[in-house]
Amino acid sequence: MTTTTVDAPRPVTPRPLLDRRLAIAPQIHQILRDRIVSLDWAPRRQIVRGEIADEFGVSQTPVREALLKLEADGLILVWPQSRTEVAPIDVTRVREVMFLRRALEIEVALTVAMRQPKVDLAAAQAIVDDQRRLADDDAAMARFMALDRAFHQTLFDLAGQAALHALLVERSADLDRVRRLHLPLRGKRLAILADHQAIVDAIAADEPLAVMAAVRQHLSGTAGTLDELVARHPSFF
């Protein structure tokens, strides 16, 4: 007697959640941007509009809008009637954003330090404490990086410059990809942690020179290793 073998059903990958009450294209843009910045989608990965539409269960119109925004962000390359792919990291853009970020963050930290009455740094310190608990956990890099963004956003908020932080984040996609290449090094995470604590301590002590030195030290880490990262990971550039 012959037996029939029935293949086990393939697992169904759930569709990314979209809030249908809101505009769809910006949500797709953010999800795809996160995939690129996190390096889940590596440079030169092919992107097929129809596959993305199927994944999200939408028409190709909002996908087209999302891809146009990613192209404007410099995160994808589009060859009409040919192909679309994730763009390599632009080293020139990375250096420009590093310069912009250094100028803005020094001014933000000094503004927070000089505010009267003194600002409450409890939220910033709590983020540093959370990062300290994650610094040794290689599996928690995404959470560690999210806390890093939260730390800097907190300082911008305390300086009354929340909108400026949003602009900086929008311009920092390539820099974030470089930092994501750097974060697997445990020493890098420990350096970030030490720098954040130094910034909080300098602001709390109301020492402008120490504030500037702490921010410069923090923002020089990735800049000092950029050439090394390019040599180590040439396929990303």
Side-chain angles (χ1 to χ4, degrees):
M1 182 177 71
T2 60
T3 58
T4 302
T5 301
V6 179
D7 293 335
R10 295 181 179 179
V12 177
T13 302
R15 284 175 171 168
L17 293 178
L18 298 175
D19 189 338
R20 303 287 172 168
R21 298 168 299 177
L22 303 176
I24 297 300
Q27 296 179 71
I28 295 176
H29 167 264
Q30 187 60 55
I31 293 171
L32 299 186
R33 187 183 191 278
D34 289 345
R35 291 177 184 178
I36 295 171
V37 170
S38 68
L39 302 183
D40 286 344
W41 282 9
R44 300 175 183 85
R45 181 194 189 278
Q46 297 290 306
I47 298 174
V48 180
R49 190 166 63 201
E51 292 179 357
I52 296 174
D54 290 343
E55 178 188 1
F56 285 93
V58 298
S59 71
Q60 291 196 22
T61 299
V63 175
R64 184 184 303 108
E65 294 176 19
L67 293 180
L68 285 172
K69 181 65 168 64
L70 288 172
E71 184 181 17
D73 294 340
L75 289 175
I76 66 172
L77 300 174
V78 179
W79 287 270
Q81 310 304 321
S82 178
R83 70 187 188 280
T84 299
E85 64 182 33
V86 177
I89 299 171
D90 186 325
V91 175
T92 298
R93 186 181 296 121
V94 171
R95 295 192 191 280
E96 290 172 349
V97 172
M98 284 179 174
F99 186 93
L100 174 64
R101 186 182 177 199
R102 184 166 59 250
L104 290 177
E105 299 228 17
I106 287 174
E107 190 63 31
V108 161
L110 287 173
T111 298
V112 176
M114 292 185 296
R115 279 214 155 175
Q116 297 295 336
K118 299 298 293 182
V119 300
D120 186 352
L121 295 172
Q125 183 61 59
I127 293 170
V128 175
D129 294 340
D130 285 345
Q131 286 189 298
R132 184 172 290 109
R133 287 187 282 269
L134 298 176
D136 291 324
D137 187 353
D138 288 344
M141 282 190 295
R143 176 59 179 160
F144 188 92
M145 193 168 185
L147 287 169
D148 182 73
R149 289 192 298 270
F151 176 81
H152 292 277
Q153 181 171 354
T154 297
L155 295 183
F156 274 79
D157 290 345
L158 291 173
Q161 297 294 338
L164 193 55
H165 181 264
L167 176 62
L168 185 58
V169 169
E170 184 178 340
R171 298 287 300 273
S172 296
D174 272 351
L175 175 58
D176 286 340
R177 289 201 283 176
V178 168
R179 295 176 65 247
R180 189 64 178 79
L181 286 174
H182 206 176
L183 271 182
L185 301 177
R186 177 175 177 272
K188 173 60 177 175
R189 299 197 297 273
L190 293 177
I192 289 172
L193 176 61
D195 290 346
H196 283 180
Q197 188 64 67
I199 292 170
V200 172
D201 292 344
I203 292 174
D206 195 11
E207 297 179 357
L209 291 179
V211 169
M212 289 190 289
V215 175
R216 284 186 180 278
Q217 167 65 29
H218 178 46
L219 299 182
S220 67
T222 299
T225 59
L226 182 56
D227 291 340
E228 177 187 344
L229 290 170
V230 172
R232 186 184 303 166
H233 305 284
S235 64
F236 286 87
F237 297 89

